[in-house]
Amino acid sequence: MAVVTQFVVVREGVEKMTFTSKKEADAYDKMLDIADNLIPFLSKSELELDERDVEKLSFFLAQNKDDLQILLKGGSLTKKATPKKAVKKPENKEPK
């Protein structure tokens, strides 16, 4: 019989997600914490968003927190493609 270890993220008595590693479960739990903290912040805005839209927006922002941090620091998400230099193969010159 195989033993499977699972990590379950539970919020307010509701099972949200199951993971096979503690690291993934902790990261998801942290993302949910961020989303929960964003809800009051977004609710204070002058935008007329209903509660469901505020929750969706906060969840989206929390999921994309790394990109959001770049943008808030004045960065850009568009990366300029740098052309790769052609690798020259050394020629096999045998002495004559």
Side-chain angles (χ1 to χ4, degrees), residues 54-82:
V54 170
E55 288 177 6
K56 285 181 184 178
L57 182 57
S58 67
F59 192 75
F60 174 78
L61 293 173
Q63 283 180 314
N64 296 283
K65 71 178 179 64
D66 295 333
D67 289 343
L68 183 60
Q69 287 176 341
I70 291 168
L71 293 170
L72 290 173
K73 291 178 182 177
S76 175
L77 296 181
T78 57
K79 294 181 181 179
K80 295 179 182 177
T82 55

Side-chain angles (χ1 to χ4, degrees), residues 4-84:
V4 178
T5 302
Q6 294 182 330
F7 297 89
V8 181
V9 177
V10 177
R11 288 284 177 135
E12 299 174 7
V14 178
E15 184 177 315
K16 296 292 183 179
M17 191 78 88
T18 303
F19 298 91
T20 56
S21 78
K22 183 175 182 342
K23 183 178 178 180
E24 290 174 325
D26 287 342
Y28 187 77
D29 189 48
K30 182 176 181 179
M31 189 269 306
L32 291 178
D33 285 340
I34 292 168
D36 286 344
N37 292 335
L38 283 169
I39 290 173
F41 176 76
L42 294 172
S43 296
K44 287 191 264 182
S45 76
E46 294 179 7
L47 300 171
E48 294 182 19
L49 300 172
D50 65 21
E51 186 177 331
R52 183 71 183 136
D53 288 338
V54 170
E55 288 177 6
K56 285 181 184 178
L57 182 57
S58 67
F59 192 75
F60 174 78
L61 293 173
Q63 283 180 314
N64 296 283
K65 71 178 179 64
D66 295 333
D67 289 343
L68 183 60
Q69 287 176 341
I70 291 168
L71 293 170
L72 290 173
K73 291 178 182 177
S76 175
L77 296 181
T78 57
K79 294 181 181 179
K80 295 179 182 177
T82 55
K84 293 183 180 179

